[in-house]
PDB file of all heavy atoms in Angstrom:
ATOM      1  N   GLN K   1     164.063-237.908-297.580  1.00 87.00           N
ATOM      2  CA  GLN K   1     162.626-237.814-297.401  1.00 87.00           C
ATOM      3  C   GLN K   1     161.964-239.014-298.057  1.00 87.00           C
ATOM      4  O   GLN K   1     162.130-239.252-299.259  1.00 87.00           O
ATOM      5  CB  GLN K   1     162.095-236.513-297.997  1.00 87.00           C
ATOM      6  CG  GLN K   1     162.604-235.273-297.278  1.00 87.00           C
ATOM      7  CD  GLN K   1     161.991-234.005-297.814  1.00 87.00           C
ATOM      8  OE1 GLN K   1     161.179-234.036-298.729  1.00 87.00           O
ATOM      9  NE2 GLN K   1     162.375-232.882-297.248  1.00 87.00           N
ATOM     10  N   PHE K   2     161.219-239.767-297.254  1.00 90.00           N
ATOM     11  CA  PHE K   2     160.640-241.017-297.720  1.00 90.00           C
ATOM     12  C   PHE K   2     159.759-240.829-298.939  1.00 90.00           C
ATOM     13  O   PHE K   2     159.851-241.573-299.913  1.00 90.00           O
ATOM     14  CB  PHE K   2     159.831-241.656-296.585  1.00 90.00           C
ATOM     15  CG  PHE K   2     159.153-242.942-296.977  1.00 90.00           C
ATOM     16  CD1 PHE K   2     159.846-244.139-296.957  1.00 90.00           C
ATOM     17  CD2 PHE K   2     157.819-242.949-297.368  1.00 90.00           C
ATOM     18  CE1 PHE K   2     159.224-245.328-297.330  1.00 90.00           C
ATOM     19  CE2 PHE K   2     157.187-244.135-297.738  1.00 90.00           C
ATOM     20  CZ  PHE K   2     157.892-245.323-297.713  1.00 90.00           C
ATOM     21  N   TRP K   3     158.897-239.810-298.931  1.00 90.00           N
ATOM     22  CA  TRP K   3     157.917-239.634-300.001  1.00 90.00           C
ATOM     23  C   TRP K   3     158.435-238.790-301.156  1.00 90.00           C
ATOM     24  O   TRP K   3     158.035-238.989-302.301  1.00 90.00           O
ATOM     25  CB  TRP K   3     156.643-238.996-299.454  1.00 90.00           C
ATOM     26  CG  TRP K   3     155.822-239.916-298.598  1.00 90.00           C
ATOM     27  CD1 TRP K   3     155.692-239.897-297.239  1.00 90.00           C
ATOM     28  CD2 TRP K   3     155.022-241.023-299.049  1.00 90.00           C
ATOM     29  NE1 TRP K   3     154.871-240.905-296.809  1.00 90.00           N
ATOM     30  CE2 TRP K   3     154.435-241.610-297.903  1.00 90.00           C
ATOM     31  CE3 TRP K   3     154.737-241.565-300.304  1.00 90.00           C
ATOM     32  CZ2 TRP K   3     153.586-242.718-297.983  1.00 90.00           C
ATOM     33  CZ3 TRP K   3     153.892-242.658-300.386  1.00 90.00           C
ATOM     34  CH2 TRP K   3     153.328-243.226-299.230  1.00 90.00           C
ATOM     35  N   PHE K   4     159.313-237.821-300.893  1.00 88.00           N
ATOM     36  CA  PHE K   4     159.657-236.827-301.906  1.00 88.00           C
ATOM     37  C   PHE K   4     160.979-237.089-302.629  1.00 88.00           C
ATOM     38  O   PHE K   4     161.215-236.510-303.683  1.00 88.00           O
ATOM     39  CB  PHE K   4     159.690-235.427-301.288  1.00 88.00           C
ATOM     40  CG  PHE K   4     158.343-234.958-300.813  1.00 88.00           C
ATOM     41  CD1 PHE K   4     158.086-234.807-299.458  1.00 88.00           C
ATOM     42  CD2 PHE K   4     157.342-234.681-301.715  1.00 88.00           C
ATOM     43  CE1 PHE K   4     156.839-234.385-299.016  1.00 88.00           C
ATOM     44  CE2 PHE K   4     156.093-234.256-301.284  1.00 88.00           C
ATOM     45  CZ  PHE K   4     155.843-234.109-299.930  1.00 88.00           C
ATOM     46  N   ASP K   5     161.856-237.911-302.080  1.00 84.00           N
ATOM     47  CA  ASP K   5     163.123-238.207-302.729  1.00 84.00           C
ATOM     48  C   ASP K   5     163.020-239.503-303.527  1.00 84.00           C
ATOM     49  O   ASP K   5     162.374-240.457-303.090  1.00 84.00           O
ATOM     50  CB  ASP K   5     164.255-238.323-301.700  1.00 84.00           C
ATOM     51  CG  ASP K   5     164.627-236.972-301.116  1.00 84.00           C
ATOM     52  OD1 ASP K   5     164.515-235.973-301.837  1.00 84.00           O
ATOM     53  OD2 ASP K   5     165.032-236.916-299.938  1.00 84.00           O
ATOM     54  N   ALA K   6     163.668-239.522-304.688  1.00 79.00           N
ATOM     55  CA  ALA K   6     163.615-240.702-305.556  1.00 79.00           C
ATOM     56  C   ALA K   6     164.668-241.720-305.120  1.00 79.00           C
ATOM     57  O   ALA K   6     165.578-242.050-305.871  1.00 79.00           O
ATOM     58  CB  ALA K   6     163.829-240.288-307.001  1.00 79.00           C
ATOM     59  N   TRP K   7     164.531-242.223-303.903  1.00 82.00           N
ATOM     60  CA  TRP K   7     165.528-243.147-303.363  1.00 82.00           C
ATOM     61  C   TRP K   7     165.221-244.599-303.724  1.00 82.00           C
ATOM     62  O   TRP K   7     166.114-245.448-303.737  1.00 82.00           O
ATOM     63  CB  TRP K   7     165.578-243.024-301.837  1.00 82.00           C
ATOM     64  CG  TRP K   7     164.288-243.394-301.152  1.00 82.00           C
ATOM     65  CD1 TRP K   7     163.233-242.565-300.905  1.00 82.00           C
ATOM     66  CD2 TRP K   7     163.923-244.672-300.643  1.00 82.00           C
ATOM     67  NE1 TRP K   7     162.219-243.238-300.291  1.00 82.00           N
ATOM     68  CE2 TRP K   7     162.617-244.546-300.097  1.00 82.00           C
ATOM     69  CE3 TRP K   7     164.552-245.923-300.595  1.00 82.00           C
ATOM     70  CZ2 TRP K   7     161.946-245.621-299.521  1.00 82.00           C
ATOM     71  CZ3 TRP K   7     163.880-246.992-300.017  1.00 82.00           C
ATOM     72  CH2 TRP K   7     162.590-246.833-299.486  1.00 82.00           C
ATOM     73  N   ALA K   8     163.967-244.926-304.032  1.00 76.00           N
ATOM     74  CA  ALA K   8     163.577-246.312-304.303  1.00 76.00           C
ATOM     75  C   ALA K   8     163.506-246.592-305.796  1.00 76.00           C
ATOM     76  O   ALA K   8     163.907-247.661-306.251  1.00 76.00           O
ATOM     77  CB  ALA K   8     162.230-246.623-303.659  1.00 76.00           C
ATOM     78  N   GLU K   9     162.982-245.637-306.561  1.00 73.00           N
ATOM     79  CA  GLU K   9     162.865-245.794-308.004  1.00 73.00           C
ATOM     80  C   GLU K   9     163.225-244.488-308.680  1.00 73.00           C
ATOM     81  O   GLU K   9     163.754-243.576-308.044  1.00 73.00           O
ATOM     82  CB  GLU K   9     161.453-246.255-308.391  1.00 73.00           C
ATOM     83  CG  GLU K   9     161.198-247.726-308.102  1.00 73.00           C
ATOM     84  CD  GLU K   9     160.003-248.252-308.882  1.00 73.00           C
ATOM     85  OE1 GLU K   9     159.293-247.440-309.491  1.00 73.00           O
ATOM     86  OE2 GLU K   9     159.795-249.471-308.877  1.00 73.00           O
ATOM     87  N   ALA K  10     162.915-244.385-309.963  1.00 72.00           N
ATOM     88  CA  ALA K  10     163.301-243.203-310.727  1.00 72.00           C
ATOM     89  C   ALA K  10     162.488-241.973-310.361  1.00 72.00           C
ATOM     90  O   ALA K  10     162.880-240.855-310.681  1.00 72.00           O
ATOM     91  CB  ALA K  10     163.166-243.484-312.225  1.00 72.00           C
ATOM     92  N   GLU K  11     161.359-242.149-309.702  1.00 80.00           N
ATOM     93  CA  GLU K  11     160.539-241.020-309.290  1.00 80.00           C
ATOM     94  C   GLU K  11     160.147-241.179-307.827  1.00 80.00           C
ATOM     95  O   GLU K  11     160.151-242.288-307.284  1.00 80.00           O
ATOM     96  CB  GLU K  11     159.296-240.911-310.175  1.00 80.00           C
ATOM     97  CG  GLU K  11     158.372-242.114-310.088  1.00 80.00           C
ATOM     98  CD  GLU K  11     157.132-241.935-310.943  1.00 80.00           C
ATOM     99  OE1 GLU K  11     156.730-240.769-311.158  1.00 80.00           O
ATOM    100  OE2 GLU K  11     156.553-242.939-311.373  1.00 80.00           O
ATOM    101  N   PRO K  12     159.819-240.074-307.155  1.00 85.00           N
ATOM    102  CA  PRO K  12     159.444-240.155-305.752  1.00 85.00           C
ATOM    103  C   PRO K  12     158.195-241.000-305.547  1.00 85.00           C
ATOM    104  O   PRO K  12     157.329-241.089-306.427  1.00 85.00           O
ATOM    105  CB  PRO K  12     159.174-238.683-305.378  1.00 85.00           C
ATOM    106  CG  PRO K  12     159.942-237.889-306.389  1.00 85.00           C
ATOM    107  CD  PRO K  12     159.888-238.683-307.648  1.00 85.00           C
ATOM    108  N   LEU K  13     158.076-241.602-304.374  1.00 89.00           N
ATOM    109  CA  LEU K  13     156.913-242.422-304.067  1.00 89.00           C
ATOM    110  C   LEU K  13     155.631-241.599-304.060  1.00 89.00           C
ATOM    111  O   LEU K  13     154.554-242.111-304.367  1.00 89.00           O
ATOM    112  CB  LEU K  13     157.105-243.101-302.709  1.00 89.00           C
ATOM    113  CG  LEU K  13     158.245-244.113-302.620  1.00 89.00           C
ATOM    114  CD1 LEU K  13     158.331-244.684-301.205  1.00 89.00           C
ATOM    115  CD2 LEU K  13     158.071-245.228-303.628  1.00 89.00           C
ATOM    116  N   ALA K  14     155.737-240.320-303.707  1.00 90.00           N
ATOM    117  CA  ALA K  14     154.546-239.463-303.696  1.00 90.00           C
ATOM    118  C   ALA K  14     153.955-239.311-305.089  1.00 90.00           C
ATOM    119  O   ALA K  14     152.735-239.170-305.246  1.00 90.00           O
ATOM    120  CB  ALA K  14     154.896-238.092-303.120  1.00 90.00           C
ATOM    121  N   ASN K  15     154.805-239.349-306.117  1.00 88.00           N
ATOM    122  CA  ASN K  15     154.327-239.264-307.499  1.00 88.00           C
ATOM    123  C   ASN K  15     153.849-240.609-308.012  1.00 88.00           C
ATOM    124  O   ASN K  15     152.876-240.695-308.758  1.00 88.00           O
ATOM    125  CB  ASN K  15     155.446-238.746-308.409  1.00 88.00           C
ATOM    126  CG  ASN K  15     155.845-237.320-308.086  1.00 88.00           C
ATOM    127  OD1 ASN K  15     155.180-236.636-307.326  1.00 88.00           O
ATOM    128  ND2 ASN K  15     156.943-236.875-308.651  1.00 88.00           N
ATOM    129  N   ARG K  16     154.527-241.660-307.593  1.00 87.00           N
ATOM    130  CA  ARG K  16     154.181-242.998-308.081  1.00 87.00           C
ATOM    131  C   ARG K  16     152.884-243.494-307.450  1.00 87.00           C
ATOM    132  O   ARG K  16     152.080-244.155-308.099  1.00 87.00           O
ATOM    133  CB  ARG K  16     155.333-243.950-307.735  1.00 87.00           C
ATOM    134  CG  ARG K  16     155.077-245.417-308.081  1.00 87.00           C
ATOM    135  CD  ARG K  16     155.218-245.692-309.554  1.00 87.00           C
ATOM    136  NE  ARG K  16     154.849-247.047-309.878  1.00 87.00           N
ATOM    137  CZ  ARG K  16     155.629-248.111-309.690  1.00 87.00           C
ATOM    138  NH1 ARG K  16     156.850-247.945-309.187  1.00 87.00           N
ATOM    139  NH2 ARG K  16     155.212-249.317-310.019  1.00 87.00           N
ATOM    140  N   PHE K  17     152.673-243.181-306.176  1.00 91.00           N
ATOM    141  CA  PHE K  17     151.479-243.650-305.469  1.00 91.00           C
ATOM    142  C   PHE K  17     150.760-242.473-304.791  1.00 91.00           C
ATOM    143  O   PHE K  17     150.782-242.345-303.564  1.00 91.00           O
ATOM    144  CB  PHE K  17     151.870-244.692-304.408  1.00 91.00           C
ATOM    145  CG  PHE K  17     152.507-245.922-304.972  1.00 91.00           C
ATOM    146  CD1 PHE K  17     153.884-246.057-304.978  1.00 91.00           C
ATOM    147  CD2 PHE K  17     151.731-246.946-305.496  1.00 91.00           C
ATOM    148  CE1 PHE K  17     154.485-247.201-305.492  1.00 91.00           C
ATOM    149  CE2 PHE K  17     152.318-248.095-306.014  1.00 91.00           C
ATOM    150  CZ  PHE K  17     153.704-248.222-306.016  1.00 91.00           C
ATOM    151  N   PRO K  18     150.158-241.593-305.567  1.00 91.00           N
ATOM    152  CA  PRO K  18     149.519-240.397-304.981  1.00 91.00           C
ATOM    153  C   PRO K  18     148.378-240.738-304.022  1.00 91.00           C
ATOM    154  O   PRO K  18     148.167-240.033-303.037  1.00 91.00           O
ATOM    155  CB  PRO K  18     149.016-239.639-306.214  1.00 91.00           C
ATOM    156  CG  PRO K  18     148.902-240.673-307.292  1.00 91.00           C
ATOM    157  CD  PRO K  18     150.005-241.636-307.038  1.00 91.00           C
ATOM    158  N   ARG K  19     147.624-241.811-304.286  1.00 92.00           N
ATOM    159  CA  ARG K  19     146.522-242.200-303.407  1.00 92.00           C
ATOM    160  C   ARG K  19     147.041-242.636-302.042  1.00 92.00           C
ATOM    161  O   ARG K  19     146.503-242.261-301.004  1.00 92.00           O
ATOM    162  CB  ARG K  19     145.704-243.326-304.064  1.00 92.00           C
ATOM    163  CG  ARG K  19     144.655-243.969-303.163  1.00 92.00           C
ATOM    164  CD  ARG K  19     143.604-242.975-302.701  1.00 92.00           C
ATOM    165  NE  ARG K  19     142.905-242.372-303.822  1.00 92.00           N
ATOM    166  CZ  ARG K  19     141.933-241.474-303.677  1.00 92.00           C
ATOM    167  NH1 ARG K  19     141.583-241.068-302.470  1.00 92.00           N
ATOM    168  NH2 ARG K  19     141.321-240.975-304.740  1.00 92.00           N
ATOM    169  N   ILE K  20     148.101-243.428-302.026  1.00 92.00           N
ATOM    170  CA  ILE K  20     148.700-243.874-300.767  1.00 92.00           C
ATOM    171  C   ILE K  20     149.286-242.685-300.017  1.00 92.00           C
ATOM    172  O   ILE K  20     149.119-242.548-298.802  1.00 92.00           O
ATOM    173  CB  ILE K  20     149.791-244.923-301.037  1.00 92.00           C
ATOM    174  CG1 ILE K  20     149.245-246.063-301.890  1.00 92.00           C
ATOM    175  CG2 ILE K  20     150.361-245.460-299.730  1.00 92.00           C
ATOM    176  CD1 ILE K  20     148.105-246.816-301.264  1.00 92.00           C
ATOM    177  N   PHE K  21     149.947-241.817-300.756  1.00 93.00           N
ATOM    178  CA  PHE K  21     150.567-240.638-300.153  1.00 93.00           C
ATOM    179  C   PHE K  21     149.532-239.737-299.492  1.00 93.00           C
ATOM    180  O   PHE K  21     149.753-239.217-298.392  1.00 93.00           O
ATOM    181  CB  PHE K  21     151.343-239.867-301.224  1.00 93.00           C
ATOM    182  CG  PHE K  21     151.812-238.517-300.774  1.00 93.00           C
ATOM    183  CD1 PHE K  21     152.831-238.390-299.836  1.00 93.00           C
ATOM    184  CD2 PHE K  21     151.229-237.364-301.284  1.00 93.00           C
ATOM    185  CE1 PHE K  21     153.262-237.136-299.418  1.00 93.00           C
ATOM    186  CE2 PHE K  21     151.655-236.117-300.879  1.00 93.00           C
ATOM    187  CZ  PHE K  21     152.672-236.008-299.943  1.00 93.00           C
ATOM    188  N   SER K  22     148.385-239.554-300.130  1.00 93.00           N
ATOM    189  CA  SER K  22     147.358-238.646-299.599  1.00 93.00           C
ATOM    190  C   SER K  22     146.800-239.130-298.260  1.00 93.00           C
ATOM    191  O   SER K  22     146.294-238.334-297.479  1.00 93.00           O
ATOM    192  CB  SER K  22     146.221-238.483-300.617  1.00 93.00           C
ATOM    193  OG  SER K  22     145.530-239.717-300.795  1.00 93.00           O
ATOM    194  N   ASN K  23     146.905-240.430-297.994  1.00 93.00           N
ATOM    195  CA  ASN K  23     146.360-240.979-296.749  1.00 93.00           C
ATOM    196  C   ASN K  23     147.414-241.110-295.655  1.00 93.00           C
ATOM    197  O   ASN K  23     147.132-241.594-294.559  1.00 93.00           O
ATOM    198  CB  ASN K  23     145.738-242.358-297.021  1.00 93.00           C
ATOM    199  CG  ASN K  23     144.835-242.817-295.892  1.00 93.00           C
ATOM    200  OD1 ASN K  23     144.255-242.004-295.171  1.00 93.00           O
ATOM    201  ND2 ASN K  23     144.720-244.126-295.711  1.00 93.00           N
ATOM    202  N   SER K  24     148.630-240.689-295.941  1.00 93.00           N
ATOM    203  CA  SER K  24     149.713-240.843-294.982  1.00 93.00           C
ATOM    204  C   SER K  24     149.743-239.707-293.962  1.00 93.00           C
ATOM    205  O   SER K  24     149.472-238.548-294.292  1.00 93.00           O
ATOM    206  CB  SER K  24     151.059-240.896-295.718  1.00 93.00           C
ATOM    207  OG  SER K  24     152.133-240.929-294.800  1.00 93.00           O
ATOM    208  N   LEU K  25     150.081-240.061-292.726  1.00 93.00           N
ATOM    209  CA  LEU K  25     150.307-239.057-291.674  1.00 93.00           C
ATOM    210  C   LEU K  25     151.791-238.720-291.543  1.00 93.00           C
ATOM    211  O   LEU K  25     152.180-237.984-290.647  1.00 93.00           O
ATOM    212  CB  LEU K  25     149.793-239.583-290.325  1.00 93.00           C
ATOM    213  CG  LEU K  25     148.276-239.571-290.114  1.00 93.00           C
ATOM    214  CD1 LEU K  25     147.935-240.237-288.782  1.00 93.00           C
ATOM    215  CD2 LEU K  25     147.743-238.142-290.142  1.00 93.00           C
ATOM    216  N   GLN K  26     152.603-239.273-292.449  1.00 93.00           N
ATOM    217  CA  GLN K  26     154.059-239.107-292.367  1.00 93.00           C
ATOM    218  C   GLN K  26     154.610-238.460-293.637  1.00 93.00           C
ATOM    219  O   GLN K  26     155.688-238.804-294.087  1.00 93.00           O
ATOM    220  CB  GLN K  26     154.705-240.477-292.150  1.00 93.00           C
ATOM    221  CG  GLN K  26     154.223-241.193-290.896  1.00 93.00           C
ATOM    222  CD  GLN K  26     154.479-242.686-290.956  1.00 93.00           C
ATOM    223  OE1 GLN K  26     153.830-243.389-291.732  1.00 93.00           O
ATOM    224  NE2 GLN K  26     155.417-243.159-290.148  1.00 93.00           N
ATOM    225  N   LYS K  27     153.888-237.511-294.165  1.00 92.00           N
ATOM    226  CA  LYS K  27     154.264-236.909-295.454  1.00 92.00           C
ATOM    227  C   LYS K  27     155.641-236.255-295.425  1.00 92.00           C
ATOM    228  O   LYS K  27     156.360-236.263-296.419  1.00 92.00           O
ATOM    229  CB  LYS K  27     153.208-235.879-295.872  1.00 92.00           C
ATOM    230  CG  LYS K  27     151.870-236.484-296.292  1.00 92.00           C
ATOM    231  CD  LYS K  27     150.925-235.406-296.763  1.00 92.00           C
ATOM    232  CE  LYS K  27     149.632-235.993-297.351  1.00 92.00           C
ATOM    233  NZ  LYS K  27     148.853-236.719-296.327  1.00 92.00           N
ATOM    234  N   SER K  28     156.029-235.676-294.310  1.00 90.00           N
ATOM    235  CA  SER K  28     157.314-234.976-294.240  1.00 90.00           C
ATOM    236  C   SER K  28     158.392-235.791-293.535  1.00 90.00           C
ATOM    237  O   SER K  28     159.464-235.266-293.231  1.00 90.00           O
ATOM    238  CB  SER K  28     157.129-233.629-293.522  1.00 90.00           C
ATOM    239  OG  SER K  28     156.630-233.833-292.199  1.00 90.00           O
ATOM    240  N   SER K  29     158.133-237.056-293.287  1.00 92.00           N
ATOM    241  CA  SER K  29     159.077-237.882-292.520  1.00 92.00           C
ATOM    242  C   SER K  29     160.269-238.311-293.373  1.00 92.00           C
ATOM    243  O   SER K  29     160.151-238.537-294.572  1.00 92.00           O
ATOM    244  CB  SER K  29     158.378-239.137-291.982  1.00 92.00           C
ATOM    245  OG  SER K  29     157.415-238.799-291.011  1.00 92.00           O
ATOM    246  N   VAL K  30     161.408-238.425-292.706  1.00 90.00           N
ATOM    247  CA  VAL K  30     162.587-238.968-293.370  1.00 90.00           C
ATOM    248  C   VAL K  30     162.536-240.492-293.280  1.00 90.00           C
ATOM    249  O   VAL K  30     161.768-241.068-292.500  1.00 90.00           O
ATOM    250  CB  VAL K  30     163.883-238.440-292.730  1.00 90.00           C
ATOM    251  CG1 VAL K  30     164.007-236.944-292.938  1.00 90.00           C
ATOM    252  CG2 VAL K  30     163.946-238.790-291.249  1.00 90.00           C
ATOM    253  N   LEU K  31     163.349-241.138-294.070  1.00 89.00           N
ATOM    254  CA  LEU K  31     163.324-242.593-294.158  1.00 89.00           C
ATOM    255  C   LEU K  31     163.554-243.257-292.801  1.00 89.00           C
ATOM    256  O   LEU K  31     162.910-244.262-292.467  1.00 89.00           O
ATOM    257  CB  LEU K  31     164.392-243.049-295.161  1.00 89.00           C
ATOM    258  CG  LEU K  31     164.479-244.533-295.480  1.00 89.00           C
ATOM    259  CD1 LEU K  31     163.157-245.048-296.036  1.00 89.00           C
ATOM    260  CD2 LEU K  31     165.603-244.786-296.468  1.00 89.00           C
ATOM    261  N   ALA K  32     164.444-242.703-291.998  1.00 89.00           N
ATOM    262  CA  ALA K  32     164.785-243.308-290.715  1.00 89.00           C
ATOM    263  C   ALA K  32     163.612-243.342-289.741  1.00 89.00           C
ATOM    264  O   ALA K  32     163.580-244.185-288.839  1.00 89.00           O
ATOM    265  CB  ALA K  32     165.952-242.557-290.076  1.00 89.00           C
ATOM    266  N   ASN K  33     162.641-242.444-289.928  1.00 91.00           N
ATOM    267  CA  ASN K  33     161.502-242.368-289.008  1.00 91.00           C
ATOM    268  C   ASN K  33     160.297-243.176-289.494  1.00 91.00           C
ATOM    269  O   ASN K  33     159.236-243.109-288.879  1.00 91.00           O
ATOM    270  CB  ASN K  33     161.086-240.912-288.808  1.00 91.00           C
ATOM    271  CG  ASN K  33     162.149-240.100-288.100  1.00 91.00           C
ATOM    272  OD1 ASN K  33     162.984-240.652-287.386  1.00 91.00           O
ATOM    273  ND2 ASN K  33     162.132-238.791-288.302  1.00 91.00           N
ATOM    274  N   MET K  34     160.477-243.925-290.567  1.00 89.00           N
ATOM    275  CA  MET K  34     159.365-244.695-291.108  1.00 89.00           C
ATOM    276  C   MET K  34     159.355-246.138-290.606  1.00 89.00           C
ATOM    277  O   MET K  34     158.558-246.952-291.076  1.00 89.00           O
ATOM    278  CB  MET K  34     159.427-244.688-292.639  1.00 89.00           C
ATOM    279  CG  MET K  34     159.263-243.315-293.264  1.00 89.00           C
ATOM    280  SD  MET K  34     157.638-242.584-292.954  1.00 89.00           S
ATOM    281  CE  MET K  34     156.582-243.652-293.935  1.00 89.00           C
ATOM    282  N   GLY K  35     160.211-246.451-289.670  1.00 87.00           N
ATOM    283  CA  GLY K  35     160.243-247.810-289.125  1.00 87.00           C
ATOM    284  C   GLY K  35     161.326-247.940-288.072  1.00 87.00           C
ATOM    285  O   GLY K  35     161.838-246.949-287.554  1.00 87.00           O
ATOM    286  N   HIS K  36     161.704-249.178-287.772  1.00 86.00           N
ATOM    287  CA  HIS K  36     162.739-249.418-286.765  1.00 86.00           C
ATOM    288  C   HIS K  36     163.376-250.782-287.016  1.00 86.00           C
ATOM    289  O   HIS K  36     162.833-251.630-287.723  1.00 86.00           O
ATOM    290  CB  HIS K  36     162.130-249.375-285.357  1.00 86.00           C
ATOM    291  CG  HIS K  36     161.122-250.461-285.111  1.00 86.00           C
ATOM    292  ND1 HIS K  36     159.811-250.350-285.540  1.00 86.00           N
ATOM    293  CD2 HIS K  36     161.227-251.679-284.520  1.00 86.00           C
ATOM    294  CE1 HIS K  36     159.146-251.442-285.215  1.00 86.00           C
ATOM    295  NE2 HIS K  36     159.985-252.273-284.604  1.00 86.00           N
ATOM    296  N   TRP K  37     164.530-250.976-286.399  1.00 87.00           N
ATOM    297  CA  TRP K  37     165.226-252.253-286.518  1.00 87.00           C
ATOM    298  C   TRP K  37     164.773-253.192-285.404  1.00 87.00           C
ATOM    299  O   TRP K  37     164.656-252.796-284.247  1.00 87.00           O
ATOM    300  CB  TRP K  37     166.736-252.064-286.424  1.00 87.00           C
ATOM    301  CG  TRP K  37     167.329-251.426-287.644  1.00 87.00           C
ATOM    302  CD1 TRP K  37     167.680-250.116-287.795  1.00 87.00           C
ATOM    303  CD2 TRP K  37     167.635-252.080-288.879  1.00 87.00           C
ATOM    304  NE1 TRP K  37     168.181-249.895-289.049  1.00 87.00           N
ATOM    305  CE2 TRP K  37     168.167-251.097-289.744  1.00 87.00           C
ATOM    306  CE3 TRP K  37     167.509-253.380-289.346  1.00 87.00           C
ATOM    307  CZ2 TRP K  37     168.566-251.376-291.035  1.00 87.00           C
ATOM    308  CZ3 TRP K  37     167.908-253.671-290.634  1.00 87.00           C
ATOM    309  CH2 TRP K  37     168.441-252.679-291.471  1.00 87.00           C
ATOM    310  N   SER K  38     164.511-254.415-285.781  1.00 85.00           N
ATOM    311  CA  SER K  38     164.126-255.427-284.801  1.00 85.00           C
ATOM    312  C   SER K  38     164.815-256.739-285.170  1.00 85.00           C
ATOM    313  O   SER K  38     164.548-257.310-286.234  1.00 85.00           O
ATOM    314  CB  SER K  38     162.595-255.617-284.801  1.00 85.00           C
ATOM    315  OG  SER K  38     162.214-256.655-283.917  1.00 85.00           O
ATOM    316  N   ARG K  39     165.717-257.191-284.296  1.00 83.00           N
ATOM    317  CA  ARG K  39     166.475-258.420-284.536  1.00 83.00           C
ATOM    318  C   ARG K  39     167.162-258.393-285.894  1.00 83.00           C
ATOM    319  O   ARG K  39     167.060-259.318-286.693  1.00 83.00           O
ATOM    320  CB  ARG K  39     165.561-259.644-284.421  1.00 83.00           C
ATOM    321  CG  ARG K  39     164.959-259.821-283.023  1.00 83.00           C
ATOM    322  CD  ARG K  39     164.059-261.045-282.967  1.00 83.00           C
ATOM    323  NE  ARG K  39     163.483-261.188-281.628  1.00 83.00           N
ATOM    324  CZ  ARG K  39     162.647-262.168-281.296  1.00 83.00           C
ATOM    325  NH1 ARG K  39     162.297-263.085-282.210  1.00 83.00           N
ATOM    326  NH2 ARG K  39     162.165-262.243-280.076  1.00 83.00           N
TER     327      ARG K  39
END
């Protein structure tokens, strides 16, 4: 889970950046659905 799992740092992104998280439409999205591969 992009926002709730501590995959990037010691704490989840939702805790580190609550303001950014509150404006997201992808709160329950997994990491794979947050972008795509291009070249």
